[in-house]
Amino acid sequence: MSKLKNKVTVVTGGNSGIGFGIAEAFKKEGAVGTITGRNEKTLNDAVAILGSDFISIPGDVTNSNDLENTFKKTFDKFGEIDVLVVNAGGAIDGVEMGTIENATEESYDSYMNLNLKSAYFTVQKSLPYLNDGASIILIGSSAAHRAAPGMAIYSAAKAAIISLAKGLSLDLLSRKIRVNALSPGSIDTPVFGKIVPEEHVEQVKQMWIDITPVGRQGLPSDIGKAAVFLASDDSAFIVGTEILSDGGLTNISLMK
């Protein structure tokens, strides 16, 4: 398998969950490159599985110096970058989103900084190191399309990510850089343990299974395969759009 043979890739948040699933799928298709994350142990564990063609760089995507360091080190090691996956985001330990009645300005800023602002500046900081014709994949969410209790801030940030795929594609047309959004539905990752009390995790997972038309949660590998498509020449005529990889949850959900 060689759809991404020798393509230089960067996957932010590639140390676990969806990001690691994407990095694994890229490796299977011949890619090399970098995964980033804030947890050095999970970074080391992930890169041990990915092998010598991948390196890990600790960093926080909300820190511009860390972003610059990621892209410079990747460039120094591998050369110009062919594929950027802007995946880092999601729930924040110890910071509740809450409804508009109880959300704080601090929690709003925290979620927007991680899930929207960091995505914009990750792309900006990457530009000097990207090949012309590169593919940028912004990880969105099916949450952008449907409301859920206490999720308005997160959903708004992910809706903006989908809009960014259009606007940034237009900005980067002269360099033939494609920007697309890939939006997962409910994926079986450790994130559930961050946002749901442990005793309710299995119940919440079953709830998602019950309303997902394909009858299961997604796996990180499902998102990885879709990311390979967007990263490869197979999607050369796809630009500024969104792919929903959500088992039908958004468009044909069984929820009334």
Side-chain angles (χ1 to χ4, degrees), residues 7 20-22 47 65 72 74 79 83 97 109 127 146 155 162 170 213 235 241 244 249:
K7 295 287 188 183
F20 180 68
I22 291 171
V47 85
N65 290 330
K72 185 177 186 308
T74 301
V83 182
M97 281 178 268
D109 287 343
L127 294 178
R146 59 186 305 152
S155 296
I162 296 163
L170 192 59
S235 61
T241 194
L244 277 160
L249 181 66

Side-chain angles (χ1 to χ4, degrees), residues 188-189 192 200-209 217:
D188 191 4
T189 73
F192 282 92
H200 298 310
V201 167
E202 292 306 316
Q203 179 183 354
V204 171
K205 287 184 178 182
Q206 188 61 50
M207 179 199 76
W208 284 109
I209 292 169
Q217 282 189 289

Side-chain angles (χ1 to χ4, degrees), residues 13 59 239:
V239 59

Side-chain angles (χ1 to χ4, degrees), residues 175-194:
R175 292 186 57 187
K176 297 181 172 59
I177 293 173
R178 298 184 298 116
V179 187
N180 291 291
L182 173 56
S183 293
S186 176
I187 308 299
D188 191 4
T189 73
V191 73
F192 282 92
K194 292 184 178 181

